[in-house]
């Protein structure tokens, strides 16, 4: 079972696969060597996409923080840079007898891709004589999920009451049981948590999403990394608020608000702020933007509808993750922005009272129209084209939900078919278009 709380994780930017996952893996390695004892030196080697775009995504900083024992869900984003700098200077991991030399012990391996996934990491521990005590190979497979070279994803091995492995099976469950999609997902969550815990957890995710939007609306200045990209959300917000007082409000203003919410989140993500993987950091603005649109602009909003939105989005996201991928390094940006748009479209359709078949239709429409999207961030930074892509993805999600709600749920292409198409397209896509910054915009636009 892929839980709602596996797909939606509170963490930090700029990347779930390149920042959150490596921090989690490094922290687990620290726990292993603390349990072992007798370690005098450790090393961390990162491979593939983690190496090629790691500096732009903060992978090196994330691993340093994980080795210090920090967790992406709780660390103060304002402390990440000084903590990492202090470790580089002192080599002190807080483990007696162990000195960490970041220049020697943190290695970017640009030539070797580990076999299971392009986001590979190898951690080693040595004793005082230089003998190898322990070696761990870990993969960050997108959305903050970390797996070993011998294990499946780190979600609990739980069989829920209403297991489904495809959209067709999910729709059949709704017909057989009379339950809605969010009710099915909620019932499955009960195999892991109590009802109050689920509701509180969903509300915490919603609050974290909205808090990220609000902070993004207040902040200004230049995003880190050297591309000299300036934040736009605050100025756009001021412009939209001013337009409320005028008589010249454009017909497309609602699209501007949706874009604004997405921009605010992804500017926070690009600056290393507190975000929710939804289902990844690179696409973290889409679901919050559409959820905020539902709250602010759609009639009948309630906390219950917000929970239905997130539960439905998670049901669709679990299908995409299980049957294809949510990793830009594996299938390109169709797996990140495309997945998030499909999840948001499904969530909005559910929140607005759509049927199970309309929900499946909305997710299919949104995913279908992101097929083939490459992941080619300039300078390895989650800024260009990533930030604007979230604005487009959020608006596409609303369009997909609207089209589905205007129909009766009948359509020619199924969600299962479009997910399989996305998977096959990802396999066919050249690696230079999959979060390596070796192709596309990354090589055709000057990074300075």
């Amino acid at each position: 079972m892929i839980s709602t709380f596996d797909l939606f994780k509170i963490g930090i930017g700029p990347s779930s696969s390149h920042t959150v996952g490596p921090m989690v893996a490094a922290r687990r390695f620290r726990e292993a060597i603390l349990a072992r004892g007798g370690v005098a030196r450790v090393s961390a080697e990162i491979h593939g996409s983690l190496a090629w775009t790691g500096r732009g995504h903060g992978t090196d900083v994330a691993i340093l923080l994980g080795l210090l024992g920090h967790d992406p869900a709780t660390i103060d984003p304002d402390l990440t840079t000084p903590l990492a700098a202090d470790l580089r200077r002192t080599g002190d991991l807080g483990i007696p007898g162990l000195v960490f030399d970041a220049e020697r012990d943190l290695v970017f391996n640009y030539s070797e891709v580990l076999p299971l996934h392009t986001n590979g990491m190898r951690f080693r521990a040595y004793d005082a004589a230089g003998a190898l005590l322990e070696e761990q190979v870990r993969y960050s497979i997108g959305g903050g999920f970390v797996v070993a070279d011998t294990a499946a994803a780190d979600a609990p091995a739980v069989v829920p009451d209403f297991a489904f492995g495809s959209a067709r099976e999910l729709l059949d469950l709704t017909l057989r049981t009379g339950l809605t999609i969010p009710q099915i997902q909620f019932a499955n969550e009960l195999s892991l948590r109590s009802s109050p815990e689920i509701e509180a957890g969903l509300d915490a995710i919603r609050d974290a999403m909205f808090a990220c939007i609000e902070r993004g609306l207040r902040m200004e200045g230049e995003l880190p990394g050297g591309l000299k990209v300036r934040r736009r959300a605050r100025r756009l917000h001021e412009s939209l608020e001013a337009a409320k007082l005028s008589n010249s409000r454009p017909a497309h203003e609602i699209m501007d608000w949706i874009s604004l919410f997405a921009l605010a989140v992804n500017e926070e993500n690009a600056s290393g702020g507190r975000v929710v993987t939804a289902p990844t950091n690179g696409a973290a603005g889409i679901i919050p933007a559409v959820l905020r649109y539902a709250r602010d602009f759609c009639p009948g909003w309630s906390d219950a509808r917000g929970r239905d939105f997130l539960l439905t989005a998670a049901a669709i996201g679990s299908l995409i993750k299980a049957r294809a991928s949510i990793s830009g390094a594996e299938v390109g940006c169709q797996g990140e922005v495309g997945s998030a748009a499909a999840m948001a479209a499904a969530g909005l359709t559910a929140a607005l009272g759509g049927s199970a078949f309309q929900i499946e239709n909305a997710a299919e429409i949104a995913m279908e129209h992101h097929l083939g999207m490459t992941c080619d961030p300039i300078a390895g930074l989650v800024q260009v084209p990533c930030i604007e892509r979230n604005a487009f993805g959020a608006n596409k999600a609303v369009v997909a939900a609207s089209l589905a709600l205007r129909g009766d749920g009948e359509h020619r292409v199924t969600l299962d078919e479009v997910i399989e198409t996305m998977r096959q397209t990802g396999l066919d896509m050249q690696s230079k278009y999959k979060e390596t910054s070796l192709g596309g915009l990354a090589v055709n636009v000057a990074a300075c």
Side-chain angles (χ1 to χ4, degrees):
M1 175 182 172
I2 300 174
S3 168
T4 302
F5 303 101
D6 294 323
L7 286 168
F8 297 125
K9 301 184 184 78
I10 298 174
I12 60 170
S15 173
S16 52
S17 60
H18 287 57
T19 311
V20 174
M23 193 187 305
V24 169
R27 184 172 186 264
R28 292 176 183 171
F29 179 67
R30 175 191 172 93
E31 292 170 351
I33 63 174
L34 281 172
R36 168 183 284 276
V39 176
R41 178 193 165 200
V42 297
S43 67
E45 186 174 2
I46 58 177
H47 299 257
S49 177
L50 287 182
W52 293 321
T53 64
R55 297 194 191 279
H57 286 76
T59 304
D60 50 346
V61 172
I63 287 180
L64 295 179
L65 295 171
L67 290 175
L68 283 168
H70 292 289
D71 184 272
T74 57
I75 190 171
D76 183 344
D78 293 332
L79 297 180
T80 57
T81 299
L83 285 170
D86 187 61
L87 176 55
R88 291 183 188 275
R89 180 178 57 83
T90 66
D92 183 8
L93 287 173
I95 301 175
L98 195 161
V99 177
F100 183 79
D101 183 345
E103 292 299 318
R104 176 195 64 187
D105 298 327
L106 181 56
V107 179
F108 283 70
N109 188 325
Y110 300 101
S111 60
E112 181 186 6
V113 177
L114 298 181
L116 184 61
H117 193 281
T118 185
N119 290 339
M121 296 162 278
R122 180 182 281 114
F123 298 93
R124 293 188 175 103
Y126 306 87
D127 66 15
L132 180 65
L133 297 176
E134 181 159 346
E135 178 176 286
Q136 293 183 0
V137 174
R138 297 291 182 264
Y139 297 90
S140 181
I141 60 172
F145 287 84
V146 175
V147 300
D149 51 353
T150 58
D154 56 356
V158 172
V159 178
D161 291 339
F162 300 104
F164 54 90
S166 67
R168 181 66 262 173
E169 290 178 6
L170 177 58
L171 291 174
D172 287 345
L173 273 174
T174 65
L175 293 175
R176 189 168 70 249
T177 65
L179 298 174
T180 66
I181 289 177
Q183 287 171 340
I184 287 171
Q185 185 68 16
F186 190 93
N188 287 343
E189 295 294 343
L190 288 171
S191 62
L192 298 171
R193 297 170 178 83
S194 68
S195 180
E197 287 175 325
I198 296 168
E199 292 186 354
L202 291 170
D203 291 347
I205 289 168
R206 176 205 64 208
D207 291 345
M209 288 179 172
F210 288 167
C212 184
I213 291 174
E214 290 302 326
R215 190 171 192 275
L217 297 181
R218 296 193 304 270
M219 303 300 287
E220 57 185 348
E222 195 172 280
L223 296 173
L227 283 185
K228 302 186 183 302
V229 174
R230 294 192 62 80
R231 288 179 180 254
R232 289 179 287 174
R234 178 169 175 167
R235 295 196 306 276
L236 177 55
H237 186 220
E238 292 170 348
S239 174
L240 288 170
E241 288 291 343
K244 290 180 178 179
L245 305 176
S246 71
N247 294 320
S248 58
R249 299 170 69 173
H252 60 263
E253 182 184 292
I254 190 65
M255 298 173 62
D256 291 338
W257 281 101
I258 296 167
S259 297
L260 167 67
F261 300 146
L263 292 176
V265 171
N266 284 87
E267 287 175 356
E268 278 296 287
N269 179 61
S271 64
R274 175 76 64 216
V275 298
V276 178
T277 61
T280 65
N281 282 26
I286 295 171
I287 290 172
V290 178
L291 185 62
R292 177 69 176 261
Y293 160 76
R295 189 196 79 175
D296 291 1
F297 294 96
C298 297
W301 168 264
S302 67
D303 288 345
R305 285 196 175 188
R307 294 175 195 135
D308 283 349
F309 184 115
L310 292 173
L311 289 164
T312 304
I316 299 303
S318 69
L319 287 174
I320 297 170
K321 178 170 173 30
R323 298 176 67 87
S325 175
I326 58 171
S327 168
E330 192 170 23
V331 295
C333 201
Q334 59 174 357
E336 296 205 26
V337 166
S339 297
M343 293 166 68
L348 179 60
T349 304
L352 296 181
S355 70
F357 286 84
Q358 288 172 318
I359 289 168
E360 186 261 358
N361 188 16
E364 178 275 320
I365 294 170
M367 174 59 78
E368 180 180 347
H369 297 290
H370 284 93
L371 290 175
M373 180 175 282
T374 58
C375 183
D376 49 356
I378 298 173
L381 297 167
V382 190
Q383 297 179 20
V384 182
C386 319
I387 295 173
E388 287 182 350
R389 275 189 185 165
N390 277 257
F392 275 79
N395 277 286
K396 281 186 179 182
V398 174
V399 171
S402 180
L403 288 172
L405 287 165
R406 293 289 183 181
D408 59 6
E410 292 293 326
H411 53 289
R412 179 65 181 84
V413 179
T414 69
L415 178 58
D416 289 330
E417 289 168 339
V418 80
I419 291 174
E420 174 59 17
T421 302
M422 189 266 279
R423 187 189 69 83
Q424 293 177 10
T425 303
L427 290 175
D428 292 338
M429 191 180 291
Q430 295 183 47
S431 62
K432 68 180 182 179
Y433 297 119
K434 294 192 281 190
E435 206 168 2
T436 61
S437 288
L438 299 176
L441 285 172
V443 299
N444 287 297
V445 178
C448 59

